[in-house]
Amino acid sequence: MPTAEAQPAEPKALKAGDKAPAFSLKNTNGQTVKLSDFKGRKVALFFYPKDMTPGCTKEACGFRDDYAELKRRGVEVVGVSADNQASHQKFTEKYELPFTLLSDPDHSVMEKYGAWGEKNMYGKKVTGVLRSTFLIDEEGRIAHIFRRVKTDTHSKDVIAVLDRL
C-alpha cells in the first residue's frame, strides 16, 4: 500500500507577542540590514507592493510626513518591497523618504511575516504582497500587526496604536 508523503507544515500566522522573524536584506545603498541591527529600538516594519505606485506612494509619504513624530516615540521606520535597489533609490530621492527601504526580491521575508500570498485584485485572484505593518518592540517581539492598511491614514494609525501600547 503506498504511503502518503508528508507535506510541509503551513507557517503559523504571526500574532502579537511572537518573536519577530529574523531577516537580512539589502538597503538602498546595497548594505545588508538585519532585524538584530534594531535591537533596543522599536521598529515599524511595513510591507508594500511597489515603488512609485499611487497607494504605496501615499503610504510612504505618510510615514515621511510623520517621521519626526515616530522618531520622537523611538520608532525606526523600515519599508520592504520586492523592488530592486535602483528602484528604491529613485523612490527615496523623488519623495525625500528619510527611512530605510529594503529589497526582498525572492519574497522570503514577506513569506516569513505572512505578507506574501493570494489576494483579490480587480476581481481576479493573484499572488503578491499583502500590504501590512508590524510594530516590533525593543526586545524583537511583535507588539501589533496591521493587516488591513489604509494608505491615506496608515502612519497616523500607527501613531495611535503606539500611544496605546
Side-chain angles (χ1 to χ4, degrees):
M1 178 169 224
T3 59
E5 284 188 38
Q7 295 295 315
E10 285 293 314
K12 186 180 80 144
L14 293 173
K15 62 186 181 317
D18 287 348
K19 185 168 176 40
F23 63 79
S24 178
L25 295 172
K26 299 284 186 191
N27 70 7
T28 311
N29 301 317
Q31 298 164 316
T32 299
V33 175
K34 299 182 232 168
L35 178 60
S36 60
D37 295 341
F38 300 101
K39 189 162 174 65
R41 294 179 277 170
K42 295 178 193 132
V43 179
L45 182 66
F46 75 99
F47 294 93
Y48 66 99
K50 188 142 183 62
D51 293 342
M52 305 288 196
T53 57
C56 297
T57 299
K58 281 181 196 172
E59 183 178 20
C61 288
F63 278 119
R64 176 201 62 203
D65 295 346
D66 289 327
Y67 188 69
E69 190 60 32
L70 289 158
K71 290 295 280 184
R72 191 177 72 69
R73 286 171 164 78
V75 177
E76 297 289 336
V77 177
V78 179
V80 179
S81 79
D83 295 303
N84 64 30
Q85 180 182 341
S87 177
H88 281 342
Q89 284 175 334
K90 288 178 191 168
F91 193 39
T92 297
E93 289 169 11
K94 182 171 183 176
Y95 294 102
E96 299 177 1
L97 304 178
F99 46 82
T100 302
L101 295 180
L102 302 176
S103 295
D104 186 15
D106 66 359
H107 319 122
S108 61
V109 175
M110 292 177 204
E111 288 174 16
K112 285 182 186 181
Y113 279 83
W116 181 261
E118 195 174 88
K119 61 183 179 178
N120 285 316
M121 195 166 187
Y122 306 112
K124 291 183 180 179
K125 288 195 185 265
V126 297
T127 300
V129 179
L130 305 173
R131 190 184 306 272
S132 48
T133 298
F134 295 77
L135 290 180
I136 301 169
D137 70 16
E138 296 87 344
E139 278 78 51
R141 296 217 166 266
I142 296 171
H144 189 84
I145 302 172
F146 297 85
R147 292 278 186 203
R148 300 211 188 277
V149 171
K150 294 179 184 165
T151 58
D152 292 346
T153 62
H154 187 49
S155 62
K156 300 276 190 235
D157 297 338
V158 168
I159 290 168
V161 167
L162 284 166
D163 287 345
R164 293 193 310 259
L165 291 176

